[in-house]
């Protein structure tokens, strides 16, 4: 496997793929067409020097991913068919407007959507920190009436955090609407695995590739939990207020360190790195599902909009076309490809 540096996420009836300074969104519309949109990838931090510094680049990348991910979700949601009555009401409102009023109205809608997007991102971060960082701490604090042993409290807090995370994954994985999104998530991984193992990008090769990938966001969240557990074992405060403050201040550091680990995992086949990646890969069985051929087509469209996979195969595997496909297939059959 050779890293392609392409990554993405599932959206509503579609997939976002990002490579370097561009990202694409491919969506299967209600009339069964595939709509593809390509946008420049703009970080909220323009300074390229900061975006290259370890740990800091992880924090920036994490925030960027949330913002871009929310934009893509809102775009994919726009293809969901409105109720006929809602369509008619919208049409009547717009017919009464002059061209200038209609332009101002649409501009206002864009601003409202943007404000909503950033509001949702901020709210999501607060909820995530509250549930996965603070709640385990408060639950574990109940044990302080029984023991003051630091390592027992730290291990218990880590176990509670893992338990909450697993419960969350199991709960959402059972939701019918989410399961379809998880099928697109599987298609995204299969596409990336397909090209990173030297196979020609087509539906047949995508479907037989693995739906698990070491650079997945699920694995990232797993490493966040592990890194937070390790750091908090060594950072101890007597004051309850300081304990809370330290946990909040460490959130960016934990995200940054986890990013570096997941980045290394995606670039290395080292046995130790592979062993560390296995728990995250196992969790992906909850957050991905086997896609169908139509979903694989959407994933391929998203990849091809921003990534020249043929050039990648020529550069990294020394061959292309049928030869690449056959060689990779032999590796899969021999058990050498995941």
């Amino acid at each position: 496997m050779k890293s392609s540096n392409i990554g993405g996420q599932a959206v509503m009836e579609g997939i976002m793929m990002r490579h370097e300074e561009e990202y694409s969104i491919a969506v299967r519309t209600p009339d069964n067409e595939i709509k593809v949109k390509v946008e420049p990838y703009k970080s909220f931090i323009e300074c390229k020097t900061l975006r290259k510094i370890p740990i800091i680049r992880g924090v920036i990348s994490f925030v960027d991913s949330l913002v871009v991910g929310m934009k893509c979700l809102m775009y994919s949601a726009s293809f969901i068919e409105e109720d006929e009555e809602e369509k008619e009401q919208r049409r009547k409102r717009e017919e009464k407007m002059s061209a200038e009023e209609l332009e101002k109205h649409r501009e206002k809608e864009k601003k409202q959507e943007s404000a909503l997007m950033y509001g949702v991102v901020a709210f999501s971060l607060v909820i995530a920190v509250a549930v996965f960082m603070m709640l385990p701490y408060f639950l574990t604090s109940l044990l302080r009436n029984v023991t003051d042993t630091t390592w027992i409290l730290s291990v218990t807090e880590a176990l509670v955090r893992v338990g909450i995370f697993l419960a969350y994954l199991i709960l959402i994985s059972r939701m019918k609407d989410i399961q379809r999104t998880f099928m697109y998530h599987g298609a995204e991984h299969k596409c990336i695995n397909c090209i990173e193992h030297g196979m020609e990008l087509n539906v047949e090769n995508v479907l037989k590739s693995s739906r698990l990938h070491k650079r997945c966001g699920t694995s990232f969240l797993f490493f966040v939990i592990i890194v937070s557990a390790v750091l908090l074992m060594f950072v101890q405060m007597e004051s309850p207020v300081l304990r809370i403050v330290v946990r909040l201040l460490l959130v960016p550091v934990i995200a940054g360190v986890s990013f570096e680990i997941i980045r290394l995992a995606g670039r290395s086949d080292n046995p130790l790195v592979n062993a560390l990646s296995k728990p995250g890969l196992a969790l992906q069985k909850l957050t991905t599902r086997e896609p169908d051929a139509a979903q694989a087509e959407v994933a391929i469209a998203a990849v091809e909009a921003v990534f020249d996979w043929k050039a990648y195969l020529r550069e990294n595997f020394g061959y292309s076309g049928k030869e690449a496909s056959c060689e990779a297939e032999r590796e899969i059959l021999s058990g050498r490809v995941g």
Side-chain angles (χ1 to χ4, degrees):
M1 186 198 77
K2 293 188 179 181
S3 177
S4 61
N5 291 320
I6 186 171
Q9 74 169 61
V11 295
M12 298 176 69
E13 289 301 320
I15 289 172
M16 178 275 283
M17 287 287 188
R18 180 209 162 189
H19 182 248
E20 295 181 350
E21 300 304 316
E22 285 186 324
Y23 69 92
S24 64
I25 319 160
V27 178
R28 177 77 68 178
T29 64
D31 56 4
N32 206 32
E33 291 184 11
I34 299 176
K35 295 289 186 182
V36 181
K37 179 182 179 183
V38 178
E39 293 280 346
Y41 183 86
K42 295 181 180 179
S43 174
F44 81 103
I45 298 290
E46 295 294 333
C47 180
K48 291 186 177 181
T49 302
L50 281 177
R51 288 160 56 188
K52 292 180 180 179
I53 299 174
I55 310 298
I56 293 176
R57 65 187 173 192
V59 179
I60 295 172
S61 179
F62 177 65
V63 175
D64 284 345
S65 296
L66 287 175
V67 173
V68 172
M70 188 57 61
K71 283 183 180 178
C72 295
L73 280 170
M74 292 177 69
Y75 174 76
S76 64
S78 69
F79 288 95
I80 297 176
E81 289 187 321
E82 289 182 314
D83 181 86
E84 287 300 323
E85 187 177 340
E86 291 177 344
K87 280 185 180 179
E88 185 63 21
Q89 289 176 352
R90 175 186 286 270
R91 185 184 65 79
K92 287 180 178 178
R93 284 197 305 269
E94 292 183 350
E95 281 181 350
K96 294 177 182 179
M97 299 178 187
S98 65
E100 185 178 346
E101 288 174 334
L102 183 58
E103 185 179 348
K104 287 182 179 179
H105 174 71
R106 289 177 176 170
E107 187 64 31
K108 182 180 178 181
E109 282 188 335
K110 285 182 181 179
K111 289 181 179 179
Q112 289 175 340
E113 286 179 359
S114 180
L116 175 64
M117 178 189 68
Y118 285 107
V120 170
V121 169
F123 179 74
S124 300
L125 281 172
V126 170
I127 293 298
V129 171
V131 172
F132 296 111
M133 291 297 295
M134 304 315 301
L135 180 59
Y137 165 72
F138 287 118
L139 291 176
T140 306
S141 295
L142 300 175
L143 281 178
R144 293 185 181 276
N145 296 325
V146 179
T147 180
D148 286 329
T149 307
T150 300
W151 72 268
I152 291 178
L153 293 171
S154 298
V155 170
T156 302
E157 184 177 345
L159 291 174
V160 171
R161 188 171 290 115
V162 170
I164 291 174
F165 182 54
L166 285 175
Y168 167 75
L169 290 183
I170 292 170
L171 180 64
I172 64 170
S173 69
R174 294 178 180 274
M175 298 170 66
K176 190 174 181 180
D177 291 341
I178 296 296
Q179 286 178 1
R180 185 158 180 84
T181 303
F182 283 176
M183 290 173 73
Y184 277 104
H185 190 194
E188 174 221 330
H189 285 186
K190 280 174 172 284
C191 255
I192 297 173
N193 274 320
C194 177
I195 57 178
E196 290 187 340
H197 287 95
M199 289 191 287
E200 188 175 301
L201 191 62
N202 57 49
V203 172
E204 181 184 356
N205 288 338
V206 167
L207 290 178
K208 68 188 178 187
S209 296
S210 173
R211 76 176 201 256
L212 311 179
H213 198 283
K214 289 191 290 185
R215 285 190 283 111
C216 175
T218 305
S219 294
F220 170 78
L221 292 175
F222 170 77
F223 282 122
V224 164
I225 290 172
I226 299 304
V227 170
S228 65
V230 173
L231 283 180
L232 292 173
M233 279 187 183
F234 294 98
V235 181
Q236 298 294 327
M237 299 288 174
E238 291 296 325
S239 168
V241 175
L242 282 178
R243 290 192 207 112
I244 295 172
V245 171
V246 165
R247 276 161 175 75
L248 292 175
L249 292 177
L250 281 177
V251 168
V253 178
I254 292 167
V257 173
S258 301
F259 173 84
E260 297 301 326
I261 296 173
I262 206 79
R263 189 169 182 266
L264 173 64
R267 294 168 177 265
S268 173
D269 270 330
N270 180 281
L272 177 60
V273 173
N274 287 340
L276 290 173
S277 299
K278 283 186 177 180
L281 292 173
L283 288 175
Q284 288 176 40
K285 292 179 180 179
L286 291 173
T287 61
T288 62
R289 293 287 185 273
E290 288 294 332
D292 57 29
Q295 291 166 329
E297 288 175 354
V298 175
I300 290 170
V303 170
E304 291 185 328
V306 292
F307 185 73
D308 187 347
W309 59 268
K310 293 179 181 178
Y312 168 83
L313 288 182
R314 286 195 295 269
E315 181 180 346
N316 291 280
F317 293 90
Y319 45 72
S320 61
K322 188 176 180 180
E323 181 186 358
S325 178
C326 292
E327 177 64 23
E329 185 172 356
R330 284 195 292 272
E331 289 192 3
I332 288 177
L333 293 174
S334 66
R336 285 182 285 162
V337 175

